[in-house]
Amino acid sequence: MFELTPRRAGQAVAALLAVDGLIHVYWATGATWPAADSRALSLAVLGLEASFSPSAVLPLAALTLTGAGVVYAHSRGRGGRLTRAATGAVAAGLAVRGLAGLGWATGLLTSPPDSPFYALNLALYTPACAAFAWAAARLALTPA
């Protein structure tokens, strides 16, 4: 049977954040995969039209890649209170995004009706953020 140990939780959260960060680096090159163009990408990822310029996406890439490193380090018992606190911050950030996703799903927050964001948020973004927030919180409660 699979048991979600703190080490595995850290690996999973770090992997998610690393992939997210690398996708942001990729978008900084001007590429728009998996969308056809920057408008479609923006509507699918954010539910509104926004810039995916390097100045917009590289800080997010740096944040998520740093988060990945910190969470991974804490899952390996490294960094003490600093990585534990940063892992807690990652958990809080994911939880806030998950709650915002519930806001979009229930109509409290809006997005353009022609965007694929609503379905992606409901099926992918919100459940992933909730699950990984729980995993990060569980890890953050583990002393380094």
Side-chain angles (χ1 to χ4, degrees):
M1 172 171 271
F2 178 78
E3 179 186 352
L4 186 64
T5 63
R7 188 176 187 112
R8 286 184 179 155
Q11 288 174 320
V13 173
L16 173 80
L17 294 173
V19 168
D20 186 48
L22 291 173
I23 289 171
H24 281 79
V25 169
Y26 173 76
W27 289 334
T29 69
T32 60
W33 177 88
D37 57 40
S38 60
R39 180 181 185 275
L41 179 65
S42 180
L43 291 174
V45 174
L46 300 171
L48 52 88
E49 288 189 49
S51 172
F52 274 69
S53 68
S55 63
V57 295
L58 286 177
L60 295 171
L63 182 66
T64 56
L65 291 169
T66 300
V70 167
V71 168
Y72 189 79
H74 183 63
S75 74
R76 297 299 186 264
R78 307 238 189 259
R81 290 181 185 173
L82 178 62
T83 59
R84 185 177 186 185
T87 299
V90 166
L94 288 167
V96 166
R97 172 53 186 90
L99 289 172
L102 292 176
W104 280 301
T106 60
L108 294 173
L109 302 171
T110 60
S111 63
D114 65 335
S115 81
F117 175 77
Y118 182 83
L120 287 169
N121 177 61
L122 198 57
L124 178 63
Y125 305 149
T126 297
C129 286
F132 284 93
W134 175 81
R138 184 167 180 217
L139 177 60
L141 295 173
T142 304

